[in-house]
Amino acid sequence: MWWRSASFILDRNDNLLQDDSVPKAESRMLSPPSSSMAETLHNPNPIPINNISAYYQTRAAHHGVVTSDWLAQAQAAVGHDQDTLPSDPDSSRNSSSSEKPFSVIDEFNNWRKQPDLAEAVAAIRALASVIRSSEATTMMELQRELKTASDSLKSWDTTSISLTAGCDLFMRYVTRTSAVEYEDFNAAKSRFLERALKFGEISYKARKIIAMLGQDFIFNGCTILVHGFSRVVLEILKTAAQSKKVFRVLCTEGRPDRTGLRFANELAKLDVPVKLLIDSAVAYSMDEVDMVIVGADGVVESGGIINMMGTYQIALVAKSMDKPVYVAAESYKFARLYPLDQKDMVPALRAVDFGVPIPKKVEVETSARDYTPPQYLTLLFTDLGVLTPSVVSDELIQLYL
Amino acid sequence: MDPRRPSRVIDPKVRKVGFFTPGPPPDRTQSGPAATTPTQSPVSNTLSPVMIPPARHASDNLSRAVGMPVPAAPQLHGHPPVDSLQVGSYTLSDSVLSASPTRSPSSRVGLDGEFSEDSVNWMKRNNSGRFSVVLPTGGPDMTQSIEASIDENTGDHVAELPLKNPKPLKAKTTKAERRALQEAQRAAKATAKGGEGNKSVATSATSAPAQTSKPVRQPNQKKEGPVLVSSTLVPEKKGSEKPPEKDRKKEVPPPRMQFDDKNRVEKAKKRSVVKQTEARNRVELFRHLPQYERGNQLSDLESKFFQLDHVHPAVYKVGLQFLSGDIMWSNARCTAMLQAFQKVIEDYSTPPEKTLTRDLTAKINSSVSFLIECRPLSISMGNAIRFLKARITKIPLTQTESEAKTSLSSDIDRYINEKILLADKVIVGHAVTKIRDGDVLLTYGSSSLIEMILLHAHELRRQFRVVIVDSRPNHEGRVLLRKLVEKGLSCTYTHINAVSYIMHEVTRVFLGAASVLSNGTIYSTVGTACIAMVAHAYHVPVLVCCESYKFHERVQLDSICSNELGDPDVIAKVPGRRDNCLDDWASKEGLQLLNLAYDVTPADYVSMIVTEHGMIPPTSVPVIVREYGREHILI
């Protein structure tokens, strides 16, 4: 699966990306954790408070509504924290491993502080550093160590599909190599590490690849409906805007955490015409929409996606109006799940604020995501290429069996 | 294609990214003139609807492959043969190669390595002498027949078939068959030199494995392959000289016997062990399937017990059980058959001046054909037989007989264990995760696998209710009902007539399958399609549970061309009613009863297929077939 990564398109468009990718890398490193995020970070609690999915807490921390003064604060914080914050992840790893016993969770949290880095990629990097700092002397030992590390990561947040899938795929990719038969343990270990780093690299690049693939589908003068805040979708739109395409974006509000507002904010910065909708205005404005692009929390084996609440209804409306629905998802989100219906998933809950007190007797639906079956999706933009939904299962079968 | 169009059509450039393969198939030397490429698109395969499933016979394939490009070259009608030969062979190879990237990119993905290999063989075959003769001689009437059939079916899906053909072709011929074939061909060459050519080769070759066993139906079926296919093949057979060795190796079992061909049926009858009389008043559409009068076969066969010395008693017993319907479930049938073969192998000793591999294959073949006479094979049994034969041919010559026998016997044990018993356990584990508290599960008929799933879920103390839908005439569901109620599950029993009434309270439908075909179609007990469609209409997820040894690379679009006919009398009789108005239905002119055994459920109505490899969507069946199809045989 991974060796088929379409990463070559990055090489092809090297010059195009060169100018903007470098400074961004810097800013990614230096971005500080927001205050709310710091709370979640120092609370690596497998059972989140108030039954709220840790995944969505992190997301809220990363993509919560950004006000201008928050930005100003953040900017200031960058200046302040530059020295104190471990800007170089390697140094932080070294210090942590030398001073206290290595903990994969700490490492993971360290990586996770970068808001631009997906959770799964953070996990993948954390697992790679498990290999690096491992003191195992046999292959079996190392594998077992990896296994426990990935299990502890997975149990850190069971509601995050991409985290689980990323860990699983990492284990598959890294340990499924001839290195196991190497006689020299060190050689085998370095082979493991090499694969781990490569995997991390591929996963990290995934968003760029998808952006390159996806922007081809955006044509001049089109109207795109997006839902929620997805970094991949933003990257696609950014790439399209940079290649001088003229298009318009309709943003849903994305209740309850109103991630759509943040998305609109980001787009406005790019000078893309953007219009905000309330979530219930999707059908109303669908006839002026040319395509729907959504991200995904996870891509399941049927080829359907699990994504933020409301994706399913948007897909239904789009289907009935014959508009294409494109999903942008990195391949580390491919999960071995097969929901048959909406209730057939691990529930991820998220508090909903209605603005007014809700009487005790009234029940509130707090599910944070829904499942969109494959028949409502047109294409998936992944770093493996542009796939039809049915290919997802083919890829998964080939990887896991 | 313009990527800016807001259409769902995929930009080819992007598409290429998704499916890029390590490299093009190595042997692309012979690329035809570009002008011919577009012509192949509208022309589909020349399969007549009745002959769809068995893409097995080499000559059958060849005729198809040749037939495809021919109409595209209009000059064929008027031009001298030499000219058309060029065109024909060029367009052919061109269409085969050029069709691959554009037409079926998805099928190309996994084929990667093997595709190129196949395509090489394919090309070699195409360029062989045989073809060159086909075109000129078969000219006029062939084009006619082809054009006729093109009018009927110009579907895109069929156009992909010639691509797929090489693969099943390869899989179908076991080494033993091929070797037997060669042997026979050599013999044929010695006797009738050249003159009769291919014809005699074909006939004697196919009957070769059966030489040791007199009354077999199989060779007969084989013989009829070419005749059945179409008239286009006859000139080919006569005209060509000996085809190259490579071609003959590709000879494979022919399509199933078509029972509406009187001559063949007569001949088959002469050879058969079981004395069967053809049923009267057969339904027109299903004439090509075997149907016999029931009732007297069993006693007839029993009386012959001491005369049939070539049939091993164990096989004989299993055959009788099939005939009487004692063993009905497909897993049970397959296991029983394999165990009988195990006994055959145990009691086997190689006759002098014969090799074990060849003689044992013949022996197994004769047993198989005996079983077929008792009841047509299921697809799972066909797969198991394929496996066994592959094992037999794999036995090295250096191995002693007893060693070979023990290894075969343990192979069979392993097959039963891994492919059936263990697979069942894994499937049960997967399927149980889809049963939640408060579910109402609907199942149809009786499947051993579904029974295990339900019982296991009950053991896990899931709170659920089961609706068992049953149908006449077999009432299989009652067996299941009895077993479930004994274990304390809460059950509802109803007949298929009531399925639309009961469906609205159901949350999951669990179905078993006799086979899963590579387009995701479920081939299962008749009535299954009805259940699945009703469930789909009510938005109830349909889960099909099936071990992957029952998967088959065949594609079937309807339940007509390949099916099994049951005894029509059972549907005429209504138990409990004193005077059946249909008692003498057979004597009535114009009244036909149809008792079908299987039907096909299109993949659209299936939400998920549960196999031991995990839960997969029906679209992924070809992946399983591709990745594990060979493994079934090689184990």
Side-chain angles (χ1 to χ4, degrees), chain A residues 181-198:
Chain A
E181 280 116 50
Y182 283 11
E183 287 190 8
D184 179 17
F185 170 72
N186 281 330
K189 187 175 164 184
S190 60
R191 175 99 184 98
F192 261 40
L193 193 59
E194 185 190 314
R195 281 177 77 84
L197 292 177
K198 188 166 165 232

Side-chain angles (χ1 to χ4, degrees), chain A residues 3-6 8-9 12 213 216-220 245 290 301-302 318-319 322-324 326 336 338-341 343-344 378-379 384-388 390-391 393-394 397-398 401, chain B residues 3-11 13-15 17-20 109-110 112 433-434 436 507-508 539 541-543 607-609 613-620 623-624 626-628:
Chain A
W3 51 90
R4 303 220 285 108
S5 161
F8 64 87
I9 67 142
R12 209 179 50 198
L213 289 175
D216 273 352
F217 286 75
I218 295 172
F219 53 93
N220 273 326
K245 286 188 182 171
D290 289 312
E301 203 156 355
S302 61
K319 171 87 178 175
D322 288 328
K323 310 285 181 188
Y326 300 128
R336 290 222 84 185
Y338 201 134
L340 285 167
D341 50 39
K343 306 285 150 52
D344 199 9
T378 313
L379 287 173
L384 307 175
V386 178
L387 312 176
T388 58
S390 62
V391 182
S393 165
D394 301 4
I397 290 173
Q398 280 178 8
L401 302 172
Chain B
R4 312 194 158 182
R5 262 194 313 161
S7 69
R8 296 172 184 217
V9 183
I10 303 148
D11 181 356
K13 183 183 80 191
V14 178
R15 183 97 187 216
V17 169
F19 299 109
F20 77 92
V109 174
D112 282 351
T433 60
K434 291 294 165 200
R436 295 168 303 185
T507 57
R508 297 264 190 280
H539 294 286
V542 176
L543 294 89
S607 319
M608 165 197 288
I609 296 175
H613 301 304
M615 296 178 278
I616 58 166
T619 48
S620 288
V623 184
I624 298 280
R626 186 175 68 214
E627 301 285 311
Y628 300 96

